[in-house]
Amino acid sequence: MSEDRRLDVLRAIVTEYVHTREPVASKAIAQSHNLGVSSATIRNDMALLEEAGLIYQPHTSAGRVPTDKGYRVFVDSLAALKPMSAPEKHAVEAFLGDSVDLDDVVAKTVRLLAQVTHQVAVVEYPSLSRQALRRVEVLDLGPRRLLVIVITRLGRVDERTLDLARPVAPATIQALREKLNEIGEGRSADELLLLVDDLAESFPPEERPAVDAVADALVDLLRPTGESKIVISGISNLARGALDFHDLAPVLDALEEQVVLLRLFSEFKDDDIHVRIGAENAHDALAQTSVVAGTYRAAMPAGDSFAHLGVVGPTRMDYVRTMSTVRAVAAYLSRFLDR
């Protein structure tokens, strides 16, 4: 029973410290949390928590503050995350629901996370390795110029202008567009590569160079760039919480070097909510922070395309609300992309 009570005392210390930023005294716990024991008993429990390295006393006569280890025990003790309320879910859906494409929904998602959690929000773009075609457009820009526009199943739009050796008839452009959409919808670059090789054979010999050029552009536009991309919002939230950091500059540098965050995200291989606290972050610059991250994905014919999102903030973080928010937004983003 005493171990359960000490965990309750630790939860009380974390909760109070997160909301007040003031060291927590036994008297405050006795008054604000119905633990059913006296302040003296709570002081004894606090002494044992301090011996275990879960809390510490910043200076003489002060209350106690959680350590990184204490936050970890607190997070691991959460049996379940409280879901977002119905009004909160409706607010998320209303904010993200009218997004028109991938860029739009990512931009809105990162702003939403920053506003709700009051931390730095980070959203990684989905992997391009399995982009599948939704539609291709081929437009006539002039006697010997074509514009190839590729729209992927995730709503990403790319285009390329082609300069040809000779003009192409409008009827050929229309037929090529129709055939590419017929054979290409839902296909990845590798799948299309096997299908377009014989495409030129269905056109007159004099039109085949243009057909090959358009087909090559389509495949290239669907291929992965090899560059991962993330979007960040809420940097100003760190400045507002500067008192929680010994030195804010290394944290800002790490956020600017996006490779640090991408490397961290790459360590998360499943759909769970992951929490890295303080020194658990491998990069020294993030040793003053906590990172809460989740995974979102879209089911594609060629396999799931997935990426991560999360928040970065001080270790003095409202973990329950932050974890619930990250999980809910990741789930909504997955549903949006499935549409």
Side-chain angles (χ1 to χ4, degrees), residues 7 56 70 93 104 107 130 154 184 210 213 228 234 261 305 325:
L7 184 56
Y56 73 99
E93 293 175 359
D104 191 24
R130 289 173 174 167
L154 292 181
S228 296
L261 296 173
S305 180
T325 301

Side-chain angles (χ1 to χ4, degrees), residues 206-276:
E206 64 273 13
E207 305 287 6
R208 291 174 187 173
V211 173
D212 286 336
V214 171
D216 289 345
L218 169 60
V219 172
D220 285 345
L221 288 171
L222 280 175
R223 286 195 180 281
T225 62
E227 297 177 0
S228 296
K229 179 182 176 182
I230 61 174
V231 181
I232 298 177
S233 181
I235 295 290
S236 59
N237 289 328
L238 284 182
R240 296 189 185 98
L243 292 176
D244 290 308
F245 298 95
H246 300 300
D247 185 3
L248 190 55
V251 181
L252 295 174
D253 290 341
L255 293 175
E256 187 174 344
E257 295 178 24
Q258 296 190 358
V259 66
V260 174
L261 296 173
L262 289 170
R263 188 179 298 121
L264 179 64
F265 280 163
S266 69
E267 298 173 5
F268 305 142
K269 302 298 185 183
D270 53 46
D271 292 341
D272 288 342
I273 297 299
H274 297 269
V275 182
R276 294 287 176 84

Side-chain angles (χ1 to χ4, degrees), residues 10-31:
L10 176 63
R11 291 194 186 105
I13 293 172
V14 170
T15 302
E16 292 292 329
Y17 183 65
V18 163
H19 287 93
T20 68
R21 199 190 274 123
E22 296 292 334
V24 182
S26 58
K27 183 177 180 181
I29 296 175
Q31 293 175 343

